[in-house]
Amino acid sequence: MKQRTIHFQVGESDRHVTGLLVRPKHATLLYVMGHGAGAGMRHAFLQSIANLLADRDVATLRYQFPYMESGRRSPDSPRVLEETVAAAITKAVREAPDLALVAGGKSLGGRITSMVAAKDPALPLKGLVFLGYPLHAPNKPATKRAEHLSRIQIPMLFLQGTRDSLAHLDLLEPIVDRLAPRATMHVVEGGDHSFNVPKRSEKTEEQVLREMADAVVEWGKELGARS
């Protein structure tokens, strides 16, 4: 298994960003992952998920949004974020045309990907995977960020912690239920928005990450069975 650095252009602009492609020898699925608002593609969480998925024969393409690439703290405009997601998916097709594609990512990366998928049903995606969908601002319950999800026609997997302050489960679970059978949720007991669990938890953080990777793999198998 090798990790390869790639570069691609965002939209019609002069912006270029970096990605990391990990492709196991026997991969049949490629997961295109956007990062969260405050940490880039090399964050330990995404690195760990990518490694665990590689161990399970799932390829990954992580990539930077332009603001993170240039070292800025504030995220780009929604238009630029969406153009980056679209460009990453296009790059994934070029790099691995033989693999089935799913996309999403951590928090911001997943939400922006869902917005792109809602606007363009022709994208070559088999499904979406959200690693902590940010339904609302921290401890400010709302559901506006889920309004576009009903327009997505491909399967969706939500991995969510029970202590996620950006997605109260009593709000998110009914949304996922309404989107069923396209949408399913895997709940991580005790996990916060970063999937950290309390020290008193019966599971370690390493076990939680393995649980999440296993959930993605099992969902991916079902995805293949449905296609």
Side-chain angles (χ1 to χ4, degrees), residues 17 33 46 50-51 77 81 84 86 89 91 107 116 118 127 133 140 142 164 169 175 180 193 195-196 218-220:
V17 295
M33 299 193 296
L46 287 183
N51 289 344
S77 68
L81 294 174
T84 308
I89 293 170
K91 183 66 172 177
S107 195
V116 173
Y133 189 86
K140 294 184 178 180
D164 191 339
L169 290 187
I175 293 170
H193 190 60
F195 296 98
N196 297 317
E218 289 305 310
W219 175 83

mmCIF file with all atom_site columns, all heavy atoms in Angstrom, residues 17 33 46 50-51 77 81 84 86 89 91 107 116 118 127 133 140 142 164 169 175 180 193 195-196 218-220:
data_model
loop_
_atom_site.group_PDB
_atom_site.id
_atom_site.type_symbol
_atom_site.label_atom_id
_atom_site.label_alt_id
_atom_site.label_comp_id
_atom_site.label_asym_id
_atom_site.label_entity_id
_atom_site.label_seq_id
_atom_site.pdbx_PDB_ins_code
_atom_site.Cartn_x
_atom_site.Cartn_y
_atom_site.Cartn_z
_atom_site.occupancy
_atom_site.B_iso_or_equiv
_atom_site.pdbx_formal_charge
_atom_site.auth_seq_id
_atom_site.auth_comp_id
_atom_site.auth_asym_id
_atom_site.auth_atom_id
_atom_site.pdbx_PDB_model_num
ATOM 1   N N   . VAL A 1 17  ? -4.857  22.730 -5.146  1.00 0.00 ? 17  VAL A N   1
ATOM 2   C CA  . VAL A 1 17  ? -4.789  22.145 -3.813  1.00 0.00 ? 17  VAL A CA  1
ATOM 3   C C   . VAL A 1 17  ? -4.129  20.773 -3.877  1.00 0.00 ? 17  VAL A C   1
ATOM 4   O O   . VAL A 1 17  ? -3.953  20.190 -4.954  1.00 0.00 ? 17  VAL A O   1
ATOM 5   C CB  . VAL A 1 17  ? -6.189  22.028 -3.171  1.00 0.00 ? 17  VAL A CB  1
ATOM 6   C CG1 . VAL A 1 17  ? -6.790  23.408 -2.922  1.00 0.00 ? 17  VAL A CG1 1
ATOM 7   C CG2 . VAL A 1 17  ? -7.110  21.181 -4.036  1.00 0.00 ? 17  VAL A CG2 1
ATOM 8   N N   . MET A 1 33  ? -12.543 12.076 0.743   1.00 0.00 ? 33  MET A N   1
ATOM 9   C CA  . MET A 1 33  ? -12.805 12.653 2.059   1.00 0.00 ? 33  MET A CA  1
ATOM 10  C C   . MET A 1 33  ? -12.369 14.114 2.166   1.00 0.00 ? 33  MET A C   1
ATOM 11  O O   . MET A 1 33  ? -11.183 14.424 2.025   1.00 0.00 ? 33  MET A O   1
ATOM 12  C CB  . MET A 1 33  ? -12.074 11.857 3.147   1.00 0.00 ? 33  MET A CB  1
ATOM 13  C CG  . MET A 1 33  ? -12.490 10.402 3.261   1.00 0.00 ? 33  MET A CG  1
ATOM 14  S SD  . MET A 1 33  ? -11.869 9.643  4.782   1.00 0.00 ? 33  MET A SD  1
ATOM 15  C CE  . MET A 1 33  ? -10.104 9.729  4.513   1.00 0.00 ? 33  MET A CE  1
ATOM 16  N N   . LEU A 1 46  ? -8.271  11.813 10.430  1.00 0.00 ? 46  LEU A N   1
ATOM 17  C CA  . LEU A 1 46  ? -8.415  11.378 9.046   1.00 0.00 ? 46  LEU A CA  1
ATOM 18  C C   . LEU A 1 46  ? -7.304  10.414 8.641   1.00 0.00 ? 46  LEU A C   1
ATOM 19  O O   . LEU A 1 46  ? -7.540  9.476  7.873   1.00 0.00 ? 46  LEU A O   1
ATOM 20  C CB  . LEU A 1 46  ? -8.441  12.585 8.108   1.00 0.00 ? 46  LEU A CB  1
ATOM 21  C CG  . LEU A 1 46  ? -9.716  13.429 8.108   1.00 0.00 ? 46  LEU A CG  1
ATOM 22  C CD1 . LEU A 1 46  ? -9.615  14.548 7.075   1.00 0.00 ? 46  LEU A CD1 1
ATOM 23  C CD2 . LEU A 1 46  ? -10.948 12.576 7.849   1.00 0.00 ? 46  LEU A CD2 1
ATOM 24  N N   . ALA A 1 50  ? -8.082  6.698  7.321   1.00 0.00 ? 50  ALA A N   1
ATOM 25  C CA  . ALA A 1 50  ? -7.540  6.270  6.029   1.00 0.00 ? 50  ALA A CA  1
ATOM 26  C C   . ALA A 1 50  ? -6.722  4.989  6.178   1.00 0.00 ? 50  ALA A C   1
ATOM 27  O O   . ALA A 1 50  ? -6.824  4.070  5.351   1.00 0.00 ? 50  ALA A O   1
ATOM 28  C CB  . ALA A 1 50  ? -6.695  7.384  5.424   1.00 0.00 ? 50  ALA A CB  1
ATOM 29  N N   . ASN A 1 51  ? -5.911  4.911  7.218   1.00 0.00 ? 51  ASN A N   1
ATOM 30  C CA  . ASN A 1 51  ? -5.090  3.716  7.436   1.00 0.00 ? 51  ASN A CA  1
ATOM 31  C C   . ASN A 1 51  ? -5.958  2.488  7.716   1.00 0.00 ? 51  ASN A C   1
ATOM 32  O O   . ASN A 1 51  ? -5.704  1.394  7.191   1.00 0.00 ? 51  ASN A O   1
ATOM 33  C CB  . ASN A 1 51  ? -4.136  3.943  8.604   1.00 0.00 ? 51  ASN A CB  1
ATOM 34  C CG  . ASN A 1 51  ? -3.027  4.915  8.267   1.00 0.00 ? 51  ASN A CG  1
ATOM 35  O OD1 . ASN A 1 51  ? -2.769  5.206  7.103   1.00 0.00 ? 51  ASN A OD1 1
ATOM 36  N ND2 . ASN A 1 51  ? -2.364  5.439  9.289   1.00 0.00 ? 51  ASN A ND2 1
ATOM 37  N N   . SER A 1 77  ? -15.502 30.664 0.730   1.00 0.00 ? 77  SER A N   1
ATOM 38  C CA  . SER A 1 77  ? -16.925 30.860 0.469   1.00 0.00 ? 77  SER A CA  1
ATOM 39  C C   . SER A 1 77  ? -17.559 29.522 0.102   1.00 0.00 ? 77  SER A C   1
ATOM 40  O O   . SER A 1 77  ? -16.861 28.603 -0.369  1.00 0.00 ? 77  SER A O   1
ATOM 41  C CB  . SER A 1 77  ? -17.115 31.842 -0.681  1.00 0.00 ? 77  SER A CB  1
ATOM 42  O OG  . SER A 1 77  ? -16.658 31.277 -1.901  1.00 0.00 ? 77  SER A OG  1
ATOM 43  N N   . LEU A 1 81  ? -15.777 26.233 -1.758  1.00 0.00 ? 81  LEU A N   1
ATOM 44  C CA  . LEU A 1 81  ? -15.784 24.924 -1.102  1.00 0.00 ? 81  LEU A CA  1
ATOM 45  C C   . LEU A 1 81  ? -16.438 23.882 -1.997  1.00 0.00 ? 81  LEU A C   1
ATOM 46  O O   . LEU A 1 81  ? -15.929 22.758 -2.154  1.00 0.00 ? 81  LEU A O   1
ATOM 47  C CB  . LEU A 1 81  ? -16.519 25.010 0.237   1.00 0.00 ? 81  LEU A CB  1
ATOM 48  C CG  . LEU A 1 81  ? -15.871 25.861 1.332   1.00 0.00 ? 81  LEU A CG  1
ATOM 49  C CD1 . LEU A 1 81  ? -16.805 25.961 2.532   1.00 0.00 ? 81  LEU A CD1 1
ATOM 50  C CD2 . LEU A 1 81  ? -14.519 25.300 1.761   1.00 0.00 ? 81  LEU A CD2 1
ATOM 51  N N   . THR A 1 84  ? -14.315 22.913 -4.910  1.00 0.00 ? 84  THR A N   1
ATOM 52  C CA  . THR A 1 84  ? -13.221 22.034 -4.494  1.00 0.00 ? 84  THR A CA  1
ATOM 53  C C   . THR A 1 84  ? -13.685 20.592 -4.397  1.00 0.00 ? 84  THR A C   1
ATOM 54  O O   . THR A 1 84  ? -12.995 19.663 -4.851  1.00 0.00 ? 84  THR A O   1
ATOM 55  C CB  . THR A 1 84  ? -12.636 22.493 -3.147  1.00 0.00 ? 84  THR A CB  1
ATOM 56  O OG1 . THR A 1 84  ? -12.297 23.880 -3.214  1.00 0.00 ? 84  THR A OG1 1
ATOM 57  C CG2 . THR A 1 84  ? -11.389 21.694 -2.794  1.00 0.00 ? 84  THR A CG2 1
ATOM 58  N N   . ALA A 1 86  ? -16.205 19.233 -6.018  1.00 0.00 ? 86  ALA A N   1
ATOM 59  C CA  . ALA A 1 86  ? -16.438 18.758 -7.384  1.00 0.00 ? 86  ALA A CA  1
ATOM 60  C C   . ALA A 1 86  ? -15.124 18.423 -8.080  1.00 0.00 ? 86  ALA A C   1
ATOM 61  O O   . ALA A 1 86  ? -15.015 17.408 -8.789  1.00 0.00 ? 86  ALA A O   1
ATOM 62  C CB  . ALA A 1 86  ? -17.207 19.803 -8.174  1.00 0.00 ? 86  ALA A CB  1
ATOM 63  N N   . ILE A 1 89  ? -13.697 15.105 -6.745  1.00 0.00 ? 89  ILE A N   1
ATOM 64  C CA  . ILE A 1 89  ? -14.390 13.945 -7.312  1.00 0.00 ? 89  ILE A CA  1
ATOM 65  C C   . ILE A 1 89  ? -13.920 13.686 -8.746  1.00 0.00 ? 89  ILE A C   1
ATOM 66  O O   . ILE A 1 89  ? -13.667 12.545 -9.138  1.00 0.00 ? 89  ILE A O   1
ATOM 67  C CB  . ILE A 1 89  ? -15.908 14.155 -7.247  1.00 0.00 ? 89  ILE A CB  1
ATOM 68  C CG1 . ILE A 1 89  ? -16.365 14.162 -5.782  1.00 0.00 ? 89  ILE A CG1 1
ATOM 69  C CG2 . ILE A 1 89  ? -16.643 13.079 -8.037  1.00 0.00 ? 89  ILE A CG2 1
ATOM 70  C CD1 . ILE A 1 89  ? -17.801 14.606 -5.582  1.00 0.00 ? 89  ILE A CD1 1
ATOM 71  N N   . LYS A 1 91  ? -11.030 14.500 -9.978  1.00 0.00 ? 91  LYS A N   1
ATOM 72  C CA  . LYS A 1 91  ? -9.664  13.979 -9.883  1.00 0.00 ? 91  LYS A CA  1
ATOM 73  C C   . LYS A 1 91  ? -9.668  12.506 -9.503  1.00 0.00 ? 91  LYS A C   1
ATOM 74  O O   . LYS A 1 91  ? -8.883  11.702 -10.037 1.00 0.00 ? 91  LYS A O   1
ATOM 75  C CB  . LYS A 1 91  ? -8.872  14.786 -8.850  1.00 0.00 ? 91  LYS A CB  1
ATOM 76  C CG  . LYS A 1 91  ? -7.413  14.387 -8.723  1.00 0.00 ? 91  LYS A CG  1
ATOM 77  C CD  . LYS A 1 91  ? -6.621  14.696 -9.983  1.00 0.00 ? 91  LYS A CD  1
ATOM 78  C CE  . LYS A 1 91  ? -5.138  14.474 -9.775  1.00 0.00 ? 91  LYS A CE  1
ATOM 79  N NZ  . LYS A 1 91  ? -4.373  14.711 -11.032 1.00 0.00 ? 91  LYS A NZ  1
ATOM 80  N N   . SER A 1 107 ? -17.230 16.387 9.155   1.00 0.00 ? 107 SER A N   1
ATOM 81  C CA  . SER A 1 107 ? -17.926 17.635 9.488   1.00 0.00 ? 107 SER A CA  1
ATOM 82  C C   . SER A 1 107 ? -18.147 18.520 8.260   1.00 0.00 ? 107 SER A C   1
ATOM 83  O O   . SER A 1 107 ? -18.924 18.175 7.376   1.00 0.00 ? 107 SER A O   1
ATOM 84  C CB  . SER A 1 107 ? -17.139 18.367 10.577  1.00 0.00 ? 107 SER A CB  1
ATOM 85  O OG  . SER A 1 107 ? -17.913 19.384 11.176  1.00 0.00 ? 107 SER A OG  1
ATOM 86  N N   . VAL A 1 116 ? -23.121 19.560 -2.738  1.00 0.00 ? 116 VAL A N   1
ATOM 87  C CA  . VAL A 1 116 ? -22.748 19.342 -4.137  1.00 0.00 ? 116 VAL A CA  1
ATOM 88  C C   . VAL A 1 116 ? -23.571 18.203 -4.726  1.00 0.00 ? 116 VAL A C   1
ATOM 89  O O   . VAL A 1 116 ? -24.088 18.297 -5.853  1.00 0.00 ? 116 VAL A O   1
ATOM 90  C CB  . VAL A 1 116 ? -21.240 19.047 -4.248  1.00 0.00 ? 116 VAL A CB  1
ATOM 91  C CG1 . VAL A 1 116 ? -20.869 18.653 -5.679  1.00 0.00 ? 116 VAL A CG1 1
ATOM 92  C CG2 . VAL A 1 116 ? -20.424 20.271 -3.818  1.00 0.00 ? 116 VAL A CG2 1
ATOM 93  N N   . ALA A 1 118 ? -26.500 17.207 -3.797  1.00 0.00 ? 118 ALA A N   1
ATOM 94  C CA  . ALA A 1 118 ? -27.898 17.615 -3.931  1.00 0.00 ? 118 ALA A CA  1
ATOM 95  C C   . ALA A 1 118 ? -28.117 18.443 -5.188  1.00 0.00 ? 118 ALA A C   1
ATOM 96  O O   . ALA A 1 118 ? -29.177 18.373 -5.815  1.00 0.00 ? 118 ALA A O   1
ATOM 97  C CB  . ALA A 1 118 ? -28.331 18.403 -2.693  1.00 0.00 ? 118 ALA A CB  1
ATOM 98  N N   . GLY A 1 127 ? -22.461 6.736  -3.320  1.00 0.00 ? 127 GLY A N   1
ATOM 99  C CA  . GLY A 1 127 ? -23.026 7.050  -2.018  1.00 0.00 ? 127 GLY A CA  1
ATOM 100 C C   . GLY A 1 127 ? -22.213 8.122  -1.308  1.00 0.00 ? 127 GLY A C   1
ATOM 101 O O   . GLY A 1 127 ? -21.186 8.592  -1.810  1.00 0.00 ? 127 GLY A O   1
ATOM 102 N N   . TYR A 1 133 ? -21.809 14.502 10.907  1.00 0.00 ? 133 TYR A N   1
ATOM 103 C CA  . TYR A 1 133 ? -22.492 15.538 10.131  1.00 0.00 ? 133 TYR A CA  1
ATOM 104 C C   . TYR A 1 133 ? -22.793 16.726 11.045  1.00 0.00 ? 133 TYR A C   1
ATOM 105 O O   . TYR A 1 133 ? -23.408 16.563 12.099  1.00 0.00 ? 133 TYR A O   1
ATOM 106 C CB  . TYR A 1 133 ? -23.799 15.005 9.526   1.00 0.00 ? 133 TYR A CB  1
ATOM 107 C CG  . TYR A 1 133 ? -24.421 15.975 8.552   1.00 0.00 ? 133 TYR A CG  1
ATOM 108 C CD1 . TYR A 1 133 ? -24.024 15.964 7.220   1.00 0.00 ? 133 TYR A CD1 1
ATOM 109 C CD2 . TYR A 1 133 ? -25.356 16.913 8.961   1.00 0.00 ? 133 TYR A CD2 1
ATOM 110 C CE1 . TYR A 1 133 ? -24.567 16.869 6.311   1.00 0.00 ? 133 TYR A CE1 1
ATOM 111 C CE2 . TYR A 1 133 ? -25.904 17.811 8.063   1.00 0.00 ? 133 TYR A CE2 1
ATOM 112 C CZ  . TYR A 1 133 ? -25.501 17.793 6.747   1.00 0.00 ? 133 TYR A CZ  1
ATOM 113 O OH  . TYR A 1 133 ? -26.021 18.694 5.852   1.00 0.00 ? 133 TYR A OH  1
ATOM 114 N N   . LYS A 1 140 ? -26.565 24.647 19.577  1.00 0.00 ? 140 LYS A N   1
ATOM 115 C CA  . LYS A 1 140 ? -27.626 25.540 19.098  1.00 0.00 ? 140 LYS A CA  1
ATOM 116 C C   . LYS A 1 140 ? -28.517 24.729 18.155  1.00 0.00 ? 140 LYS A C   1
ATOM 117 O O   . LYS A 1 140 ? -28.439 24.857 16.935  1.00 0.00 ? 140 LYS A O   1
ATOM 118 C CB  . LYS A 1 140 ? -27.039 26.755 18.394  1.00 0.00 ? 140 LYS A CB  1
ATOM 119 C CG  . LYS A 1 140 ? -26.254 27.677 19.313  1.00 0.00 ? 140 LYS A CG  1
ATOM 120 C CD  . LYS A 1 140 ? -25.765 28.915 18.571  1.00 0.00 ? 140 LYS A CD  1
ATOM 121 C CE  . LYS A 1 140 ? -25.024 29.858 19.516  1.00 0.00 ? 140 LYS A CE  1
ATOM 122 N NZ  . LYS A 1 140 ? -24.532 31.072 18.797  1.00 0.00 ? 140 LYS A NZ  1
ATOM 123 N N   . ALA A 1 142 ? -30.812 23.039 15.604  1.00 0.00 ? 142 ALA A N   1
ATOM 124 C CA  . ALA A 1 142 ? -31.530 23.509 14.426  1.00 0.00 ? 142 ALA A CA  1
ATOM 125 C C   . ALA A 1 142 ? -31.419 22.422 13.364  1.00 0.00 ? 142 ALA A C   1
ATOM 126 O O   . ALA A 1 142 ? -30.602 21.511 13.475  1.00 0.00 ? 142 ALA A O   1
ATOM 127 C CB  . ALA A 1 142 ? -30.952 24.824 13.919  1.00 0.00 ? 142 ALA A CB  1
ATOM 128 N N   . ASP A 1 164 ? -22.283 14.396 20.427  1.00 0.00 ? 164 ASP A N   1
ATOM 129 C CA  . ASP A 1 164 ? -21.916 15.385 19.408  1.00 0.00 ? 164 ASP A CA  1
ATOM 130 C C   . ASP A 1 164 ? -22.703 16.671 19.623  1.00 0.00 ? 164 ASP A C   1
ATOM 131 O O   . ASP A 1 164 ? -23.917 16.705 19.424  1.00 0.00 ? 164 ASP A O   1
ATOM 132 C CB  . ASP A 1 164 ? -22.195 14.810 18.020  1.00 0.00 ? 164 ASP A CB  1
ATOM 133 C CG  . ASP A 1 164 ? -21.597 15.653 16.905  1.00 0.00 ? 164 ASP A CG  1
ATOM 134 O OD1 . ASP A 1 164 ? -21.327 16.851 17.134  1.00 0.00 ? 164 ASP A OD1 1
ATOM 135 O OD2 . ASP A 1 164 ? -21.403 15.108 15.801  1.00 0.00 ? 164 ASP A OD2 1
ATOM 136 N N   . LEU A 1 169 ? -28.776 14.059 18.555  1.00 0.00 ? 169 LEU A N   1
ATOM 137 C CA  . LEU A 1 169 ? -29.371 12.899 17.908  1.00 0.00 ? 169 LEU A CA  1
ATOM 138 C C   . LEU A 1 169 ? -30.896 12.926 17.905  1.00 0.00 ? 169 LEU A C   1
ATOM 139 O O   . LEU A 1 169 ? -31.526 12.341 17.014  1.00 0.00 ? 169 LEU A O   1
ATOM 140 C CB  . LEU A 1 169 ? -28.876 11.609 18.562  1.00 0.00 ? 169 LEU A CB  1
ATOM 141 C CG  . LEU A 1 169 ? -27.404 11.244 18.308  1.00 0.00 ? 169 LEU A CG  1
ATOM 142 C CD1 . LEU A 1 169 ? -27.105 9.852  18.862  1.00 0.00 ? 169 LEU A CD1 1
ATOM 143 C CD2 . LEU A 1 169 ? -27.056 11.301 16.831  1.00 0.00 ? 169 LEU A CD2 1
ATOM 144 N N   . ILE A 1 175 ? -34.560 12.817 11.014  1.00 0.00 ? 175 ILE A N   1
ATOM 145 C CA  . ILE A 1 175 ? -34.210 13.193 9.645   1.00 0.00 ? 175 ILE A CA  1
ATOM 146 C C   . ILE A 1 175 ? -33.741 11.968 8.876   1.00 0.00 ? 175 ILE A C   1
ATOM 147 O O   . ILE A 1 175 ? -34.171 11.718 7.748   1.00 0.00 ? 175 ILE A O   1
ATOM 148 C CB  . ILE A 1 175 ? -33.125 14.284 9.646   1.00 0.00 ? 175 ILE A CB  1
ATOM 149 C CG1 . ILE A 1 175 ? -33.693 15.593 10.215  1.00 0.00 ? 175 ILE A CG1 1
ATOM 150 C CG2 . ILE A 1 175 ? -32.568 14.510 8.238   1.00 0.00 ? 175 ILE A CG2 1
ATOM 151 C CD1 . ILE A 1 175 ? -32.640 16.654 10.487  1.00 0.00 ? 175 ILE A CD1 1
ATOM 152 N N   . ALA A 1 180 ? -34.785 7.317  4.984   1.00 0.00 ? 180 ALA A N   1
ATOM 153 C CA  . ALA A 1 180 ? -34.650 5.877  4.770   1.00 0.00 ? 180 ALA A CA  1
ATOM 154 C C   . ALA A 1 180 ? -35.519 5.442  3.589   1.00 0.00 ? 180 ALA A C   1
ATOM 155 O O   . ALA A 1 180 ? -36.558 6.039  3.324   1.00 0.00 ? 180 ALA A O   1
ATOM 156 C CB  . ALA A 1 180 ? -35.053 5.127  6.039   1.00 0.00 ? 180 ALA A CB  1
ATOM 157 N N   . HIS A 1 193 ? -18.062 15.221 18.812  1.00 0.00 ? 193 HIS A N   1
ATOM 158 C CA  . HIS A 1 193 ? -17.997 15.552 17.390  1.00 0.00 ? 193 HIS A CA  1
ATOM 159 C C   . HIS A 1 193 ? -16.702 15.050 16.742  1.00 0.00 ? 193 HIS A C   1
ATOM 160 O O   . HIS A 1 193 ? -16.661 14.819 15.536  1.00 0.00 ? 193 HIS A O   1
ATOM 161 C CB  . HIS A 1 193 ? -18.124 17.067 17.198  1.00 0.00 ? 193 HIS A CB  1
ATOM 162 C CG  . HIS A 1 193 ? -18.305 17.470 15.766  1.00 0.00 ? 193 HIS A CG  1
ATOM 163 N ND1 . HIS A 1 193 ? -19.374 17.034 14.998  1.00 0.00 ? 193 HIS A ND1 1
ATOM 164 C CD2 . HIS A 1 193 ? -17.556 18.259 14.954  1.00 0.00 ? 193 HIS A CD2 1
ATOM 165 C CE1 . HIS A 1 193 ? -19.271 17.540 13.777  1.00 0.00 ? 193 HIS A CE1 1
ATOM 166 N NE2 . HIS A 1 193 ? -18.181 18.279 13.719  1.00 0.00 ? 193 HIS A NE2 1
ATOM 167 N N   . PHE A 1 195 ? -15.359 12.246 17.805  1.00 0.00 ? 195 PHE A N   1
ATOM 168 C CA  . PHE A 1 195 ? -15.422 10.826 18.140  1.00 0.00 ? 195 PHE A CA  1
ATOM 169 C C   . PHE A 1 195 ? -14.490 10.448 19.284  1.00 0.00 ? 195 PHE A C   1
ATOM 170 O O   . PHE A 1 195 ? -14.102 9.288  19.430  1.00 0.00 ? 195 PHE A O   1
ATOM 171 C CB  . PHE A 1 195 ? -15.181 9.955  16.897  1.00 0.00 ? 195 PHE A CB  1
ATOM 172 C CG  . PHE A 1 195 ? -16.246 10.135 15.853  1.00 0.00 ? 195 PHE A CG  1
ATOM 173 C CD1 . PHE A 1 195 ? -16.029 10.978 14.772  1.00 0.00 ? 195 PHE A CD1 1
ATOM 174 C CD2 . PHE A 1 195 ? -17.473 9.509  15.978  1.00 0.00 ? 195 PHE A CD2 1
ATOM 175 C CE1 . PHE A 1 195 ? -17.020 11.179 13.814  1.00 0.00 ? 195 PHE A CE1 1
ATOM 176 C CE2 . PHE A 1 195 ? -18.461 9.709  15.036  1.00 0.00 ? 195 PHE A CE2 1
ATOM 177 C CZ  . PHE A 1 195 ? -18.242 10.538 13.952  1.00 0.00 ? 195 PHE A CZ  1
ATOM 178 N N   . ASN A 1 196 ? -14.136 11.441 20.107  1.00 0.00 ? 196 ASN A N   1
ATOM 179 C CA  . ASN A 1 196 ? -13.454 11.139 21.352  1.00 0.00 ? 196 ASN A CA  1
ATOM 180 C C   . ASN A 1 196 ? -14.474 10.614 22.355  1.00 0.00 ? 196 ASN A C   1
ATOM 181 O O   . ASN A 1 196 ? -15.615 11.093 22.397  1.00 0.00 ? 196 ASN A O   1
ATOM 182 C CB  . ASN A 1 196 ? -12.784 12.396 21.919  1.00 0.00 ? 196 ASN A CB  1
ATOM 183 C CG  . ASN A 1 196 ? -11.704 12.936 21.007  1.00 0.00 ? 196 ASN A CG  1
ATOM 184 O OD1 . ASN A 1 196 ? -10.902 12.175 20.468  1.00 0.00 ? 196 ASN A OD1 1
ATOM 185 N ND2 . ASN A 1 196 ? -11.676 14.239 20.819  1.00 0.00 ? 196 ASN A ND2 1
ATOM 186 N N   . GLU A 1 218 ? -18.867 -2.408 5.900   1.00 0.00 ? 218 GLU A N   1
ATOM 187 C CA  . GLU A 1 218 ? -20.109 -3.179 5.802   1.00 0.00 ? 218 GLU A CA  1
ATOM 188 C C   . GLU A 1 218 ? -21.140 -2.442 4.956   1.00 0.00 ? 218 GLU A C   1
ATOM 189 O O   . GLU A 1 218 ? -21.850 -3.051 4.150   1.00 0.00 ? 218 GLU A O   1
ATOM 190 C CB  . GLU A 1 218 ? -20.668 -3.452 7.208   1.00 0.00 ? 218 GLU A CB  1
ATOM 191 C CG  . GLU A 1 218 ? -19.852 -4.457 7.998   1.00 0.00 ? 218 GLU A CG  1
ATOM 192 C CD  . GLU A 1 218 ? -19.684 -5.767 7.247   1.00 0.00 ? 218 GLU A CD  1
ATOM 193 O OE1 . GLU A 1 218 ? -20.699 -6.318 6.769   1.00 0.00 ? 218 GLU A OE1 1
ATOM 194 O OE2 . GLU A 1 218 ? -18.530 -6.231 7.114   1.00 0.00 ? 218 GLU A OE2 1
ATOM 195 N N   . TRP A 1 219 ? -21.236 -1.126 5.137   1.00 0.00 ? 219 TRP A N   1
ATOM 196 C CA  . TRP A 1 219 ? -22.141 -0.319 4.319   1.00 0.00 ? 219 TRP A CA  1
ATOM 197 C C   . TRP A 1 219 ? -21.721 -0.390 2.853   1.00 0.00 ? 219 TRP A C   1
ATOM 198 O O   . TRP A 1 219 ? -22.569 -0.472 1.960   1.00 0.00 ? 219 TRP A O   1
ATOM 199 C CB  . TRP A 1 219 ? -22.127 1.110  4.826   1.00 0.00 ? 219 TRP A CB  1
ATOM 200 C CG  . TRP A 1 219 ? -22.920 2.088  4.015   1.00 0.00 ? 219 TRP A CG  1
ATOM 201 C CD1 . TRP A 1 219 ? -24.265 2.325  4.081   1.00 0.00 ? 219 TRP A CD1 1
ATOM 202 C CD2 . TRP A 1 219 ? -22.402 2.991  3.035   1.00 0.00 ? 219 TRP A CD2 1
ATOM 203 N NE1 . TRP A 1 219 ? -24.614 3.322  3.198   1.00 0.00 ? 219 TRP A NE1 1
ATOM 204 C CE2 . TRP A 1 219 ? -23.494 3.744  2.542   1.00 0.00 ? 219 TRP A CE2 1
ATOM 205 C CE3 . TRP A 1 219 ? -21.124 3.240  2.531   1.00 0.00 ? 219 TRP A CE3 1
ATOM 206 C CZ2 . TRP A 1 219 ? -23.325 4.729  1.564   1.00 0.00 ? 219 TRP A CZ2 1
ATOM 207 C CZ3 . TRP A 1 219 ? -20.967 4.217  1.560   1.00 0.00 ? 219 TRP A CZ3 1
ATOM 208 C CH2 . TRP A 1 219 ? -22.060 4.952  1.088   1.00 0.00 ? 219 TRP A CH2 1
ATOM 209 N N   . GLY A 1 220 ? -20.416 -0.354 2.603   1.00 0.00 ? 220 GLY A N   1
ATOM 210 C CA  . GLY A 1 220 ? -19.917 -0.442 1.241   1.00 0.00 ? 220 GLY A CA  1
ATOM 211 C C   . GLY A 1 220 ? -20.275 -1.763 0.578   1.00 0.00 ? 220 GLY A C   1
ATOM 212 O O   . GLY A 1 220 ? -20.592 -1.803 -0.615  1.00 0.00 ? 220 GLY A O   1
#
